[in-house]
Amino acid sequence: MRCLSLAPLACALSLAYPAAGFAQAEPTPPAAEPPRLPTITVSATRTERAADEVPATVSTHTAADVAERQPADLKRLLEDEPDLAVRAPAARFSTGSGSGRAGQEGLNIRGLEGNQVLVLVDGVRLPSAFSFGPFGTGRLDTVDPDTLATAEVLRGPSSSQFGSDGLAGALSLRLLRPADLLGGEPGSTGARSIAGFVKLGGDSVDRSAVATAAVAWGGDTLQALLLASHRQGHETDNQGDHAARNETRTAPNPLDTRATSMLGSLAWRLDAHHALEATVEGRRLRQDATMWSAVAAEPALPGPGNPFANQTLGFEAKDESERLRVSVGHRWRDERAAGLTGWQTTVYAQRAETTQFHAEDRAFSADRTRDNRYSERIVGLSTQGTAALRGALPQRLSFGLDASRSELSAERDGTVPPFGETYPSNPFPDTHFTQAGAFVQSEIDTERFTVIPALRFDSFRLAPRSTAGFSGTAVSLSDQAATPRLGAIWRVSPAFAPYAQWSLGFRAPQPDQVNNGFSNPASGYVSIGNPDLKPEHARSVELGARGELAAGVAWQLALYDNRYRDFISQQMVGGSFTPTDPAVFQYVNLSDAHIRGGELRLDAALGSGWSARAALAKAEGSSEVDGVREPLETIQPLRWLLALRHDAGRWNVMAQWQHHDGKAAEDVPSDSRASAFLPPAADVVDLFATWRIDRTWSLRGAVRNLFDETWWRWSDVRGLSASAADGSTNPALPAYTAPGRSVQVALRADF
C-alpha cells in the first residue's frame, strides 16, 4: 500500500512540545452557570446561527467536550445522543464473512445510516462506505477526535445545504485551527502568541495508550498550528469469556491496532478584510488480527452434503487505511459593507485508500490469500457569498457553488480464487464521479419570526473507464435534482418558540450500484449494471418547540415524519442458478420507506454548581416492497438518558444513566422474525470526573458501565441469529456483547 508515514512526525511533536494546550478551551466554570443548548451551528444553514435560532434539530460537541470525555473514536463521542448510533459489529470476519471488518461503518440518524448520511470534514466529504461480500470499508475510523474543534449533527435531509447523500442528515466535523488554541484570529484583541497542549491517556477497554501534542503560534498577520496524535491498543473487550482458539470462541479475537494522525494549519491575515487559510491533515490506521473465531473446531473435508464445511486451521489479517487531505481557502469579510458582506472560497484534494489482506491456512484444500483494495481520490471547490439586504424586509442572503470530481476504484486479488472466478478482478470499473450544485438561501429575522427558505440544484455524472478486471458491461449515468427547504420559527416568548421545517433530499447512486459487474456462470450467478437507476429521494417534515424557563430549564421537543422513495436494493431479476441460465442480480429502485418519531431534550440548572440533563428518542419505521410493508430494522429501540453533574471550581463529576429498550419481534422483518436475535433491555451507568490541578495540569477519569452490565447494542448485532444450526441457542451471542466495566484516565498539560 502506498502510505504516508505519520509516526515520525507524531514522535517529533511529542518531544518538541512537552507542554502544550488550549488557551481558552477549558476555563473554570462558575459554580452555578445556567446550562444552555449548543450555542452556534453552521451545518443547519451554512452560516453561523445560534442553535435555538434554526428550525431543525442540531447538536454540537466542542473541543472542550472532547477534552473532558476523552473519546477514543466518534462512536464514543456520540454515544450520549439517544437518536444516534454508530454501527461497529464485533470483529469475527472470515473469508466468507465480513462481520466487523469495516470497523465503524457509519452513523445512524433517525433510522437511516451508511452512505445515506453525509459526513464532512471541513466541508470535504469523507470516503463512502463500500462492501462486496466479505470485503468492507467503513467511514468514521478516518477521523481522530483529538483533532476536532466541533462536531455537529444535523437531523433531516441536508441536500439543500450540501447536495447528495444527506437523506437522513449530516455529520459536519470542523478541525482545529490556530485561532481555536490562541483565542482569536490574527490581529484580534486577546489572541495569544503561543498556546498548546499535550495529553497522555490510557483505556482498559482495549488496553490502549494515546499521546497527543499540539502547538499554535502567531502574531498580527500570521498564525500556525501543528498537531500529532498516536494511539496504540488491542481488541475491544466484551463480556464473552470462552477463549478457545476456534469457532467456539466468545472472547474477542486478538487484535493489535496503531493509529497516527497529523494536522497542520496556517492562517494569514492579508488586511482587515482578507485572509488566507491552508490545511494539511491525515490519518493512518493499521490493524493486525488473528481470527480464532474463523478456525474450525473439527476441520472437515467439504462434500456433497456439506459443501461449506469449515477446514480453516489459521487465519491472519492485516488491514490498513489512510486518508490525506490538503485544502487552501480565501475569505473576505466586511460586515459594515452595503450589500455583499462576505465571500469565501476553498479548493481541496483528498486521497483515501483501504487495503485488507488475510492469509488462511486450510486442512484439506490449498491455503489461500485475499488482497483487496478500495480507494477514492477527490478534487473540489466550494465558494459561498453572503449579502445583507436592509430594505423593508431585512434579511441575510447566502449563495454559492460546490463542485467536485472523484475517482473511485476497487480491486479483489489473492490466491486460490473461488470456483469459477479469476483474480485480479474489479467489482466495478474505475469511475469518475462528477458532482456540481448551486444554492441560494435567505434568512429573514424579525423580533418575533424567523423564516429561512432555501433552494439548491444539483447534477451528477458517473463515467466508468475501461478496466481490465471488470467482467460486466459498464454504463454511464447522469441526472439532476432540485431540493427546496422552508423553515420558520415563532418566538412567542422566551419559554416557548415553536418551529417547523419542510425539506427534500436526494442521494445519487454509487458507482458500485450502477455498475456492479460480477460474473461466475460456472456457479450459476452474475450481476449486471443498471443505466436507469434513479437517485433516492426524501421528504421530511419536522415540527418542534424549544424554550428556556425562568427556573433555568432549557428544553426542546421535536416530532418528525420522513418519507423516502426509490430506495436502491440489489435484487434477483432473472435466471435459475444454473450454468446455462445463471441467476442475474441487479441494483434497482425498489422500496419506499416511512420513518416517524420524536425526541425530547432538557437541560436544567439546579443551583450550587449542580445541573442535570435528560434526553429521550423514539422512532418507528417501515419499508414497502411490491406493496408489502415490513418493519425497517435499522430503527433503533427507544433510548433515554439522564445525567447529573456537579461543578465545584477546580473539579467536576458527572453520573450518566442510559436506558436501551429491548428490540421487539414485531419491529423486525417477518422473514427473519423467528430467527433474529433480539437483545433485551439494558441500563448502563457511566461516571466521569475532572480535576484541574492548576492552570497547567488537569487529570480526567471515567468508569464506563459501572455495574458491569451484560448487554448488546442493536446497531451492532442487527442481523445476528439467535439460534445455532441445530436449533439450540447461538453459543456465539456473548461474543457480540458491548464492553463490560472499563476505566479510562488522561493527564493533560495546557499552556
Side-chain angles (χ1 to χ4, degrees), residues 21-29 63-65 67-68 70 197 690 692 695 698 700 748 750:
F22 285 114
Q24 294 186 347
E26 301 177 83
T28 300
D65 297 328
E68 183 165 291
Q70 298 299 314
F197 75 92
T690 298
R692 296 174 180 84
R695 294 179 61 88
S698 59
R700 294 177 171 84
R748 174 170 167 144
D750 297 277

Side-chain angles (χ1 to χ4, degrees), residues 97-424:
S97 169
S99 176
R101 192 157 195 177
Q104 297 192 23
E105 296 179 7
L107 176 64
N108 184 304
I109 299 179
R110 292 178 172 175
L112 293 188
E113 61 187 16
N115 293 328
Q116 293 172 325
V117 172
L118 180 65
V119 184
L120 302 169
V121 176
D122 289 344
V124 181
R125 295 167 186 264
L126 279 186
S128 301
F130 170 77
S131 65
F132 189 93
F135 176 34
T137 66
R139 310 186 71 189
L140 302 187
D141 286 316
T142 61
V143 179
D144 187 339
D146 281 347
T147 65
L148 294 179
T150 60
E152 295 184 14
V153 183
L154 170 66
R155 281 78 165 171
S158 62
S159 295
S160 62
Q161 298 98 311
F162 304 110
S164 175
D165 296 356
L167 284 185
L171 171 61
S172 184
L173 307 172
R174 183 176 73 80
L175 303 190
L176 289 167
R177 299 168 181 163
D180 295 311
L181 274 69
L182 297 173
E185 302 286 343
S188 63
T189 303
R192 302 176 62 186
S193 60
I194 188 169
F197 75 92
V198 64
K199 182 189 81 172
L200 299 174
D203 196 335
S204 69
V205 75
D206 57 358
R207 293 171 290 134
S208 63
V210 61
T212 303
V215 62
W217 66 95
D220 291 340
T221 60
L222 191 67
Q223 291 181 344
L225 174 147
L226 288 175
L227 178 149
S229 180
H230 181 75
R231 180 179 295 272
Q232 191 162 317
H234 302 280
E235 65 277 3
T236 299
D237 198 11
N238 64 17
Q239 297 279 51
D241 57 7
H242 186 51
R245 296 188 172 190
N246 57 49
E247 58 197 348
T248 66
R249 184 184 184 93
T250 61
N253 286 300
L255 177 72
D256 294 327
T257 178
R258 294 173 296 283
T260 304
S261 305
M262 55 82 69
L263 170 65
S265 182
L266 187 69
W268 183 12
R269 178 175 175 266
L270 302 177
D271 57 32
H273 304 298
H274 292 267
L276 297 177
E277 293 183 345
T279 300
V280 179
E281 59 103 1
R283 179 172 170 86
R284 181 185 179 189
L285 173 66
R286 175 166 177 167
Q287 295 183 325
D288 298 332
T290 300
M291 286 292 113
W292 291 121
S293 61
V295 173
E298 297 180 3
L301 180 66
N306 191 11
F308 303 108
N310 189 356
Q311 53 172 310
T312 302
L313 300 177
F315 193 103
E316 300 288 333
K318 297 182 183 297
D319 295 356
E320 291 187 14
S321 65
E322 182 188 67
R323 183 179 61 85
L324 179 65
R325 190 237 329 167
V326 178
S327 60
V328 178
H330 168 265
R331 183 180 73 247
W332 171 80
R333 182 179 297 170
D334 186 353
E335 297 294 341
R336 294 180 295 179
L340 193 66
T341 58
W343 197 286
Q344 59 185 30
T345 301
T346 301
V347 294
Y348 57 85
Q350 179 176 266
R351 174 172 63 86
E353 183 171 286
T354 297
T355 61
Q356 295 180 350
F357 173 85
H358 72 250
E360 184 183 6
D361 179 16
R362 296 197 289 178
F364 305 110
S365 301
D367 296 345
R368 59 186 174 183
T369 63
R370 295 291 183 265
D371 193 359
N372 300 320
R373 177 188 59 83
Y374 177 78
S375 69
E376 290 190 23
R377 289 168 171 78
I378 183 172
V379 294
L381 173 145
S382 178
T383 185
Q384 176 178 337
T386 56
L389 306 183
R390 300 183 174 92
L393 190 63
Q395 56 189 290
R396 177 169 61 174
L397 195 68
S398 55
F399 44 87
L401 173 71
D402 302 308
S404 65
R405 181 179 174 88
S406 305
E407 182 178 349
L408 298 87
S409 64
E411 183 180 75
R412 303 164 63 232
D413 204 349
T415 60
V416 192
F419 175 71
E421 297 184 45
T422 58
Y423 282 160

Side-chain angles (χ1 to χ4, degrees), residues 26 69 164 170 189 225 292 424 467 520 525 538 611 628 694-695 738:
E26 301 177 83
R69 295 180 65 92
S164 175
T189 303
L225 174 147
W292 291 121
T467 305
N520 191 340
Y525 54 93
S611 60
V628 178
D694 56 28
R695 294 179 61 88

Side-chain angles (χ1 to χ4, degrees), residues 445-498:
D445 290 298
T446 67
E447 182 179 355
R448 290 284 189 182
F449 294 95
T450 291
V451 180
I452 305 178
L455 177 65
R456 183 180 175 106
F457 178 80
D458 284 273
S459 66
F460 67 88
R461 178 175 175 79
L462 291 167
R465 297 185 300 164
S466 177
T467 305
F470 178 67
S471 61
T473 301
V475 296
S476 298
L477 179 67
S478 61
D479 208 340
Q480 57 277 324
T483 50
R485 174 171 54 89
L486 178 62
I489 305 172
W490 180 21
R491 286 175 286 276
V492 178
S493 69
F496 182 63

